Amino acid sequence: MSSVLDPKVVLVTGASSGIGRATALALSKAGAAVAVGGRRTDRLEALAQEAPGEILVLDMDVSDPESVRKAVDRTVERFGTLGHLLGPSCPVLAHDTACPSHPTTPFRS
């Protein structure tokens, strides 16, 4: 039976605090390989030390489409795939134009 986390690679933006941080920790505890992005890399490094699983720390600015593209590319380079991208504070992620090499599929419940 497949999991909602298949494939188990997730990029979480805004992961240096709040909901993003809690989500990244929960995903790591659930067995996902997690890439965390944000501007406060010192906090992301601390998160990586606390998380039980593999964490890729990415210096990224969600208001900059090129920064988002690079984060997606680095995640795919490191883990071989990207299953999920969680970015509630990321306006760039609302459009496939942010990462044309890795098009998104809108989530429908």
Side-chain angles (χ1 to χ4, degrees):
M1 174 176 230
S2 68
S3 162
V4 71
L5 287 177
D6 286 338
K8 296 180 180 184
V9 178
V10 184
L11 169 56
V12 181
T13 67
S16 61
S17 65
I19 293 171
R21 183 179 193 287
T23 300
L25 280 173
L27 289 165
S28 180
K29 289 175 185 173
V34 182
V36 292
R39 293 177 293 180
R40 297 181 287 187
T41 55
D42 57 326
R43 291 185 180 193
L44 297 175
E45 293 290 350
L47 167 66
Q49 293 299 314
E50 184 180 340
E54 186 173 6
I55 300 284
L56 171 63
V57 173
L58 300 166
D59 182 9
M60 69 178 287
D61 179 354
V62 296
S63 68
D64 176 9
E66 184 61 25
S67 179
V68 174
R69 277 194 220 50
K70 286 179 182 178
V72 169
D73 289 344
R74 285 195 56 214
T75 302
V76 171
E77 180 180 295
R78 170 76 171 271
F79 299 118
T81 189
L82 175 58
H84 310 279
L85 197 156
L86 304 176
S89 64
C90 185
V92 171
L93 299 179
H95 306 285
D96 283 346
T97 57
C99 302
S101 60
H102 308 286
T104 59
T105 302
F107 175 77
R108 302 258 194 273
S109 58

